[in-house]
Amino acid sequence: MCQKSSSEKLIEQCELEMEQIRCQMIKEAMHLGMNHPVVLEYSKKLDRLHNKLLKILHVLA
């Protein structure tokens, strides 16, 4: 079994966190509505994580 590099771990961690936030955002949107400030904060957080992931992938390319 080979070990994952630190970059692979970082990517995996970022993807996992994005999925968790996405699921929470969907739950809140269903409960509070799409335009609720809480839902919009989740969306912004998800955007920031997505940008972070893209930067990591760009550096590795």
Side-chain angles (χ1 to χ4, degrees), residues 25 33-45 47:
M25 181 179 70
M34 291 291 289
N35 294 318
H36 193 278
V38 170
V39 176
L40 297 177
E41 273 308 308
Y42 278 117
S43 179
K44 289 178 189 178
K45 195 172 189 178
D47 286 343

Side-chain angles (χ1 to χ4, degrees):
M1 184 171 121
C2 61
Q3 289 190 332
K4 293 180 183 177
S5 69
S6 59
S7 298
E8 289 173 320
K9 289 178 185 177
L10 189 56
I11 291 168
E12 197 172 86
Q13 177 186 4
C14 198
E15 289 173 338
L16 178 63
E17 190 174 352
M18 286 174 67
E19 183 61 19
Q20 291 170 339
I21 290 170
R22 187 187 69 79
C23 289
Q24 189 62 39
M25 181 179 70
I26 290 169
K27 283 185 208 174
E28 294 293 350
M30 290 173 66
H31 179 69
L32 301 170
M34 291 291 289
N35 294 318
H36 193 278
V38 170
V39 176
L40 297 177
E41 273 308 308
Y42 278 117
S43 179
K44 289 178 189 178
K45 195 172 189 178
L46 194 54
D47 286 343
R48 287 191 297 270
L49 281 168
H50 186 246
N51 289 335
K52 178 181 175 181
L53 179 60
L54 289 176
K55 285 179 187 177
I56 293 166
L57 293 173
H58 179 73
V59 168
L60 295 175

